[in-house]
Amino acid sequence: IGIVQAGGIRTTINETDHDGYITLGQLINVIPFANDLVKITISGSTLLESFEHSVSDYDLNRGTSKFLQVSGILVKYDLTLNPGNRVTSLFIRCGDCSVPKFEPLVLTANYTIVMTNYLANGGNNYQAFKKRMDIKSLGIEDYNATAVYMQSISPITSGIDGRINIKYDNNENSAGLNINTWNYRLLVTVLFITVLFFNV
């Protein structure tokens, strides 16, 4: 499972620059804070609390820097409901299954998540992550991990996976529909590190 907050992605990449190649300098512009990646363990109830915080003051017109992007998670929000009760569905990818599948969140279960040390230490007021049972540094910064992964899968392709769905005014849409394509690709590459490189 991987999580990153929207505010950690600062700009876009023009795919026509540098003949379609992405430079390390461009990555640093997009992910400029050089945060370390860490692995934490939290309970299902704490994870649910963090997703409620993600949309506690969400605005469809401008978004919010604390909005969580995810890997290994399927989440549905209903913004017509009151803050604190907006998560209507939360499924977690099974890490022990021979065939990947998503299972409903279990409030009493423990989950291991990769995120930046900024988030793990309560950035964007994510106090829930401070309730972690343990924390371990993965020894690599977010932009470096992204660069390593992007090199391993080049050329990059992506699409809307429907991991995040938001209901508002009786409409439901994938949150990715309003995210710049290259921003979305970079979010995905950061988070896929959890599976391919750190075996989380």
Side-chain angles (χ1 to χ4, degrees), residues 40-59:
I40 71 169
T41 301
I42 58 175
S43 68
S45 60
T46 300
L47 186 57
L48 175 60
E49 180 184 343
S50 69
F51 277 93
E52 289 289 358
H53 178 65
S54 176
V55 292
S56 60
D57 57 358
Y58 188 79
D59 186 318

Side-chain angles (χ1 to χ4, degrees), residues 23-184:
T23 68
L24 183 59
Q26 286 176 306
L27 276 183
I28 292 173
N29 285 336
V30 174
I31 314 170
F33 301 113
N35 287 307
D36 289 333
L37 291 180
V38 298
K39 180 169 64 174
I40 71 169
T41 301
I42 58 175
S43 68
S45 60
T46 300
L47 186 57
L48 175 60
E49 180 184 343
S50 69
F51 277 93
E52 289 289 358
H53 178 65
S54 176
V55 292
S56 60
D57 57 358
Y58 188 79
D59 186 318
L60 285 170
N61 295 318
R62 59 180 176 81
T64 175
S65 64
K66 68 183 183 183
F67 185 75
L68 294 178
Q69 294 293 333
V70 301
S71 175
I73 293 174
L74 302 176
V75 60
K76 290 186 178 182
Y77 299 109
D78 186 345
L79 298 187
T80 67
L81 301 177
N82 292 328
N85 294 287
R86 290 179 164 176
V87 176
T88 59
S89 176
L90 191 56
F91 281 72
I92 311 298
R93 190 182 58 208
C94 173
D96 298 323
C97 300
S98 57
V99 177
K101 64 178 180 178
F102 287 85
E103 300 175 332
L105 178 80
V106 177
L107 296 179
T108 56
N110 294 331
Y111 296 93
T112 300
I113 306 171
V114 169
M115 62 182 64
T116 63
N117 59 338
Y118 170 78
L119 266 186
N121 291 320
N124 278 118
N125 203 29
Y126 275 98
Q127 299 301 315
F129 293 139
K130 291 184 176 181
K131 300 177 184 179
R132 60 184 180 257
M133 299 164 195
D134 57 51
I135 182 170
K136 178 182 178 182
S137 173
L138 297 179
I140 190 168
E141 295 168 326
D142 48 11
Y143 72 88
N144 273 323
T146 304
V148 170
Y149 181 66
M150 292 177 79
Q151 288 174 339
S152 75
I153 63 165
S154 180
I156 297 171
T157 60
S158 68
I160 303 301
D161 293 336
R163 301 175 197 184
I164 302 170
N165 286 275
I166 299 175
K167 179 181 179 182
Y168 55 93
D169 295 337
N170 296 318
N171 293 308
E172 185 172 312
N173 290 292
S174 170
L177 294 175
N178 295 319
I179 298 174
N180 174 279
T181 301
W182 274 100
N183 271 2
Y184 188 73

